[in-house]
Amino acid sequence: MSPTSKSTSPLLTVENLTVDFLSDESPVRAVNAVSFDVSRGETLVILGESGSGKSVSTSAVMDLIDQPPGDIVSGRISFDGAPIGNLRGEPRRLINGQKIAMIFQDPLAYLNPVYTVGRQIVEIFACHGVASGKEARERSIELLRRVGIPEPDTRIDQYPHQFSGGQRQRVMIAMAIALKPDLLIADEPTTALDVSVQAQILDLLRDLQNETGMALILITHDLEVAASMADRVIVMNRGEIVEAGVARDVFTSPRHAYTKKLISALPHGDTAEGGNRRSTIPSGETVLKVENLTKEYLFSQGLFGKKQSFRAVNDVNFEIRKGETLGIVGESGSGKSSVARMLLRLTEPTAGRAIFAGEDIFSMNQARLLAFRRKVQMVFQDPYGSMNPRMSVHAIISEPWAIHGDILPQARWKDRVVELLELVGLNPEHVDRYPHQFSGGQRQRIAIARALASEPDLIICDEAVSALDVSIQAQIIDLLADLRTRLGLSYIFITHDLPIVRHFADRIVVMKQGEIVEDGSTSAIFANPVHPYTQSLLEATPVPKWMAVRAPRPTGRARDALTL
Amino acid sequence: MLSYIGRRASHSIISVLGLLALVFFLTRLTGDPSSLFLPLDSTLEARQAFARLHGFDQPIHWQFLNYLRDLVSLDFGQSVRQNRSAMEIALEAFPQTLKLAFVAMALAIALAIVAGSIAATRPGGFFDRIVSLVSLTGASAPDFWIAIVGILVFAVSFDLLPTSGTGSLAHWIMPVFVLALRPFGLLVQVVRGTMLSALSAPYIKTARAKGLRRKEIIFGHALRNSLLPVITVAGDLTAGLVNGAVIVETVFGWPGIGKLMIDAIILRDFAVVQSTILVTATAIFVLNICIDLLYAVLDPRIRY
């Protein structure tokens, strides 16, 4: 903060950082000889997929790595010219929170659930001896106002769970900037947020940086976020920096194979190479027809609250034909997952009909329901959470045959599991392994194999690729498209990420607050979105910083017209 | 919230009634009280007169209906032995048990939170191992054995503490210590476990990034979040003590409800047995409500 140190030398320098994590067998190298620096007013983006070591490098800067199991093998970290790598106790407290602050991916988990947000902000002023009591509270209210929390003087006394996802991240930011740090480290700050909220948070970070001149390190796996924020980029893969440079150069002419792969994996990046994965089968008979689907929840608010009703899904209609993919797009709370749960009768609808093979799903008895569930399968967002960790791959995939006795005689199970594993691109020798021995993408392939085991007509994918890295997302979508052609499947593909369905869905339904606001063919929706909400979803996609400098805010539509 | 308490109360009344019915019939299975109260050589006429006086001559279902009728008018029956209101006797003994239980639990909880929290900050460290050893010993050693050995060592051999009874502060030491040992042992393990997971929670990382002091992180942020399971277990253990620390009260001659209950059962003083059960059941119901409300105080996400 002292004006004298405003020189050309970097604010933070990390040299040759190597971190191991001790495990039962041998130490795992999380970060290997990583060096980077960042100057005041500059934004450095650390780009990489999960497990690339991008978070570990910055955790070391703030001494957030637990040792053990972590082990900083080597490395020099200096801040404002002074080494800070080994600071503990009181000297560390002069850095953390005061000079360097950090915000994290999931603000609900990273805020203490049992304290009001006010207490958690006031605490920063108090523990650094800056302000206390009434003054600290007033400054906290001011901070909340600055980061865009409405009615900050009443909301300061609320708890984290009473805020929306985007507001929680604003609260985190308010905490981080309380003491005007010189460096803000943002670790996947928008990954858990909806696209439109993501844009607001990124704008806020940009504004704050302009205001205070702080340095910003942004860690992300999202290429678009990276491009829209970065002055400089380092790309990490398997604990090493594989490419570093000025943002524009890295994104427009990537040199390293990994960066090239990453950038080509963008679902809506290079259209020529990305290719069209839409269905080629002409529309056949109707598989599922949903009419007036409605779900109402009753809830009570507060200690003495009375029951209120809330329409999670309101009068939704759509139909899907054989061999077709229907994309249901919406942000969290739009009711898209409720629709899926009702179609599988995991939740009972309040009203409406869903005709599958001439029969209303909602009036089926238990026996009919069992037969129906065989024909409609689901693939969930988190393949690990939706698999029993104590069942082998063979047991997981063959379970539908044990439930529905008439699909396959037991003698053929082994061969069929092998066939299915080959179909989804897994090594059939791995049938006896357990879910934890696979990567996220491989687990999702197992989940797809399990869904295919009961020979369904329709697969509902609920955010099936959202938890995966970009390059893996593309692979899974390719796999689904290929299976559709080969097996004549229909998909309902539920996602919050509009670009993902662009080359995959035949038709798109856009949902907002429980209602369908727009539907139509995919090309029509992308070429000419009618509803303002759809337009905002398309525009919320971040614009590269070097383009934004010339034209401050090109609309999503204009940009899309270029690549369509 | 009031409606929640009302709902809980009505559920509890049903279970207390069931419990009373069970106790009523079970006590009467133990035999005829007159054979214990009257001299061995008393005549059949005397026995019949005794039974008539206390209503034991009537058919058992009739006795039960009478009992219920009396309950409604808050008449809980007479102690056959002491010839006064059974409820009066139970309520005289109960405060003694309550005092003992709450002192012992307060001690156990306070020590367990401190020891468990410190142990959790360095799992596998020296302090952690010592705490684990003590807590396992405490949780597994039978309390009657500890009580008897305690009396032998501190009262008989060294004559430092009284063997039994109440009165001075010294009378409290051994019963409180023996009673607190097991809850302490169990609670330390609970605190240690929940603190370990709380300390690796994401919000602790935030606290560290904010530059909070270690003490504030452990006792301000982690402890508060790990209290819920501790309270669940502590509540359960307290219920056990309120129920009458039967063995410890008997060994130390502590005039609490546990000792009263045992004495009444041995003497077939049915009205007293029923009254003690009613008192402790009510106390446990109130305790559980308090614990539920404490949840809501500690965790703002819990609302009834």
Side-chain angles (χ1 to χ4, degrees):
Chain A
M1 271 195 282
S2 56
T4 49
S5 60
K6 206 178 176 96
S7 60
T8 48
S9 66
L11 180 67
L12 175 82
T13 319
V14 173
E15 286 168 288
N16 208 17
L17 179 71
T18 299
V19 180
D20 281 356
F21 277 93
L22 306 173
S23 71
D24 290 338
E25 297 110 41
S26 56
V28 178
R29 185 137 293 185
V31 167
N32 191 14
V34 161
S35 304
F36 60 88
D37 58 67
V38 62
S39 304
R40 281 169 206 280
E42 184 189 39
T43 303
L44 172 73
V45 165
I46 305 182
L47 183 64
E49 305 202 323
S50 54
S52 62
K54 56 195 195 300
S55 292
V56 176
S57 351
T58 46
S59 291
V61 171
M62 296 197 79
D63 186 35
L64 296 180
I65 297 176
D66 281 314
Q67 305 184 54
D71 178 22
I72 296 178
V73 181
S74 71
R76 268 172 52 86
I77 301 171
S78 39
F79 183 80
D80 225 355
I84 59 164
N86 296 320
L87 294 185
R88 300 277 184 286
E90 286 300 308
R92 169 55 66 182
R93 294 187 54 238
L94 296 177
I95 300 287
N96 282 18
Q98 296 202 49
K99 304 274 187 195
I100 309 179
M102 195 155 178
I103 60 175
F104 302 91
Q105 174 174 351
D106 176 7
L108 184 58
Y110 279 92
L111 287 168
N112 193 329
V114 303
Y115 292 132
T116 61
V117 299
R119 204 204 120 125
Q120 297 186 53
I121 303 175
V122 163
E123 189 173 54
I124 299 201
F125 293 113
C127 82
H128 291 290
V130 176
S132 61
K134 214 167 166 214
E135 195 203 337
R137 186 182 159 85
E138 264 155 27
R139 288 180 71 167
S140 303
I141 293 175
E142 206 35 60
L143 275 171
L144 287 178
R145 183 169 292 130
R146 174 62 199 90
V147 297
I149 301 282
E151 297 167 45
D153 30 3
T154 53
R155 302 218 65 186
I156 189 169
D157 293 317
Q158 293 190 338
Y159 294 91
H161 71 274
Q162 294 168 299
F163 289 81
S164 71
Q167 285 176 330
R168 278 182 216 129
Q169 194 58 284
R170 288 171 190 271
V171 170
M172 282 295 285
I173 294 173
M175 265 164 46
I177 61 165
L179 301 179
K180 295 202 167 48
D182 298 333
L183 169 63
L184 178 65
I185 302 172
D187 189 351
E188 301 268 13
T190 59
T191 307
L193 305 176
D194 289 327
V195 247
S196 59
V197 183
Q198 164 174 301
Q200 294 164 11
I201 296 289
L202 294 180
D203 278 344
L204 175 63
L205 287 175
R206 241 181 259 125
D207 289 349
L208 290 169
Q209 188 178 28
N210 288 338
E211 238 171 74
T212 64
M214 66 185 177
L216 180 64
I217 296 181
L218 180 75
I219 300 168
T220 184
H221 72 281
D222 187 326
L223 287 161
E224 293 172 319
V225 170
S228 74
M229 297 292 287
D231 295 316
R232 281 190 303 126
V233 183
I234 62 177
V235 182
M236 289 189 69
N237 184 29
R238 293 162 194 246
E240 292 182 6
I241 294 181
V242 293
E243 187 151 358
V246 176
R248 185 176 191 157
D249 300 345
V250 173
F251 285 108
T252 50
S253 50
R255 279 176 315 226
H256 192 275
Y258 175 76
T259 320
K260 281 180 184 163
K261 185 181 130 209
L262 201 60
I263 286 169
S264 72
L266 262 181
H268 47 310
D270 188 356
T271 353
E273 210 178 309
N276 191 337
R277 301 180 190 89
R278 278 178 221 153
S279 139
T280 46
I281 300 174
S283 301
E285 66 206 89
T286 301
V287 176
L288 175 72
K289 188 170 170 63
V290 174
E291 292 168 354
N292 312 103
L293 186 60
T294 299
K295 175 74 192 174
E296 222 170 62
Y297 286 103
L298 293 174
F299 66 99
S300 58
Q301 204 166 29
L303 224 53
F304 299 97
K306 54 170 183 264
K307 290 259 190 290
Q308 290 169 301
S309 76
F310 165 70
R311 287 219 156 168
V313 176
N314 192 8
D315 195 19
V316 161
N317 297 279
F318 58 82
E319 65 172 70
I320 174 165
R321 296 173 185 281
K322 187 168 169 60
E324 190 183 47
T325 300
L326 176 73
I328 302 184
V329 181
E331 308 200 320
S332 53
S334 62
K336 57 193 194 307
S337 289
S338 299
V339 169
R341 295 181 57 80
M342 283 189 282
L343 289 180
L344 287 169
R345 286 272 301 267
L346 299 172
T347 313
E348 292 297 321
T350 313
R353 299 201 311 156
I355 310 296
F356 181 84
E359 202 177 349
D360 183 8
I361 299 169
F362 303 140
S363 54
M364 285 178 178
N365 60 24
Q366 284 302 318
R368 294 296 306 141
L369 199 57
L370 188 69
F372 158 74
R373 283 191 174 138
R374 182 188 147 181
K375 287 292 165 197
V376 179
Q377 288 290 308
M378 190 145 178
V379 177
F380 297 92
Q381 172 168 6
D382 173 11
Y384 197 51
S386 58
M387 280 180 205
N388 188 333
R390 286 176 191 80
M391 280 166 79
S392 68
V393 169
H394 175 84
I396 288 169
I397 295 178
S398 62
E399 199 179 19
W401 303 326
I403 297 168
H404 308 278
D406 56 337
I407 301 179
L408 202 65
Q410 194 157 0
R412 285 217 51 226
W413 287 11
K414 219 176 184 129
D415 296 338
R416 182 70 182 143
V417 169
V418 168
E419 276 174 39
L420 284 169
L421 286 178
E422 281 171 348
L423 191 63
V424 298
L426 286 173
N427 185 348
E429 286 166 21
H430 293 169
V431 289
D432 293 323
R433 293 200 179 177
Y434 290 85
H436 72 267
Q437 293 168 299
F438 293 89
S439 70
Q442 287 174 323
R443 283 200 283 258
Q444 203 56 296
R445 286 172 189 266
I446 299 171
I448 292 168
R450 172 176 63 180
L452 292 175
S454 66
E455 294 164 9
D457 296 330
L458 172 66
I459 296 183
I460 301 178
C461 304
D462 189 0
E463 300 276 9
V465 298
S466 306
L468 305 174
D469 289 326
V470 252
S471 57
I472 314 288
Q473 281 184 349
Q475 291 171 15
I476 296 290
I477 297 236
D478 281 342
L479 171 67
L480 290 171
D482 176 47
L483 292 170
R484 178 182 54 200
T485 327
R486 281 210 263 170
L487 308 174
L489 296 168
S490 307
Y491 294 116
I492 295 180
F493 197 88
I494 297 171
T495 182
H496 69 279
D497 192 353
L498 191 49
I500 277 190
V501 292
R502 175 168 205 167
H503 303 294
F504 178 50
D506 303 299
R507 282 188 305 118
I508 291 179
V509 165
V510 181
M511 284 188 73
K512 190 194 181 195
Q513 293 173 357
E515 295 183 7
I516 293 183
V517 294
E518 184 159 1
D519 62 357
S521 76
T522 308
S523 43
I525 288 214
F526 275 91
N528 187 23
V530 179
H531 194 276
Y533 179 68
T534 317
Q535 292 170 358
S536 77
L537 275 184
L538 284 169
E539 280 166 19
T541 317
V543 177
K545 196 170 188 173
W546 61 90
M547 280 168 73
V549 174
R550 277 180 296 171
R553 218 163 261 264
T555 68
R557 265 158 88 189
R559 216 167 57 80
D560 265 67
L562 294 173
T563 51
L564 198 78
Chain B
M1 193 183 73
L2 286 175
S3 76
Y4 170 77
I5 296 179
R7 216 162 47 231
R8 282 290 300 267
S10 55
H11 291 171
S12 301
I13 287 175
I14 296 169
S15 39
V16 166
L17 280 180
L19 179 70
L20 285 178
L22 196 67
V23 169
F24 186 91
F25 292 110
L26 280 180
T27 49
R28 272 147 187 85
L29 283 180
T30 57
D32 180 3
S34 63
S35 59
L36 284 176
F37 280 96
L38 300 182
L40 278 175
D41 56 352
S42 47
T43 61
L44 187 64
E45 286 76 35
R47 283 173 198 275
Q48 280 169 349
F50 178 84
R52 211 167 21 252
L53 179 66
H54 295 284
F56 297 136
D57 58 334
Q58 290 165 350
I60 190 151
H61 61 273
W62 197 244
Q63 288 183 39
F64 185 61
L65 288 177
N66 279 338
Y67 173 62
L68 288 183
R69 189 199 60 213
D70 291 346
L71 267 187
V72 174
S73 55
L74 296 181
D75 175 1
F76 301 96
Q78 293 283 313
S79 161
V80 177
R81 184 156 190 85
Q82 299 189 28
N83 236 337
R84 58 188 181 117
S85 161
M87 185 50 81
E88 203 179 297
I89 300 173
L91 287 179
E92 249 169 47
F94 193 52
Q96 295 294 329
T97 295
L98 269 190
K99 278 192 270 181
L100 190 62
F102 278 104
V103 172
M105 276 315 289
L107 184 75
I109 292 173
L111 288 179
I113 283 177
V114 174
S117 302
I118 298 174
T121 57
R122 289 235 159 67
F126 178 72
F127 187 80
D128 185 30
R129 287 182 203 187
I130 296 287
V131 167
S132 286
L133 185 72
V134 173
S135 79
L136 281 179
T137 315
S140 34
D143 47 4
F144 67 88
W145 182 82
I146 303 257
I148 291 168
V149 170
I151 291 176
L152 275 176
V153 174
F154 296 105
V156 179
S157 304
F158 295 106
D159 202 17
L160 291 170
L161 297 168
T163 53
S164 66
T166 53
S168 72
L169 200 62
H171 285 97
W172 284 77
I173 295 176
M174 274 205 287
V176 165
F177 176 75
V178 172
L179 272 188
L181 197 60
R182 204 178 103 81
F184 168 77
L186 293 171
L187 284 175
V188 163
Q189 293 302 324
V190 177
V191 173
R192 181 182 174 277
T194 56
M195 276 298 274
L196 267 180
S197 60
L199 281 171
S200 60
Y203 53 80
I204 295 299
K205 215 174 206 182
T206 308
R208 283 166 68 183
K210 276 155 94 174
L212 296 189
R213 290 180 190 86
R214 201 175 148 73
K215 201 175 64 192
E216 292 163 336
I217 294 174
I218 296 171
F219 292 103
H221 281 267
L223 182 60
R224 174 71 189 272
N225 272 285
S226 52
L227 279 183
L228 280 197
V230 176
I231 283 170
T232 310
V233 178
D236 204 40
L237 292 167
T238 312
L241 293 193
V242 169
N243 216 340
V246 178
I247 291 168
V248 171
E249 283 183 5
T250 309
V251 172
F252 290 107
W254 191 271
I257 204 149
K259 186 168 183 303
L260 178 67
M261 207 182 292
I262 285 293
D263 291 347
I265 289 170
I266 291 170
L267 296 169
R268 290 184 200 150
D269 201 345
F270 298 157
V272 176
V273 176
Q274 287 153 13
S275 298
T276 54
I277 299 278
L278 188 62
V279 168
T280 52
T282 311
I284 287 166
F285 156 68
V286 173
L287 182 74
N288 281 328
I289 292 270
C290 291
I291 289 167
D292 283 353
L293 296 184
L294 203 54
Y295 282 163
V297 171
L298 284 173
D299 191 336
R301 290 166 298 182
I302 298 176
R303 288 292 173 261
Y304 301 114

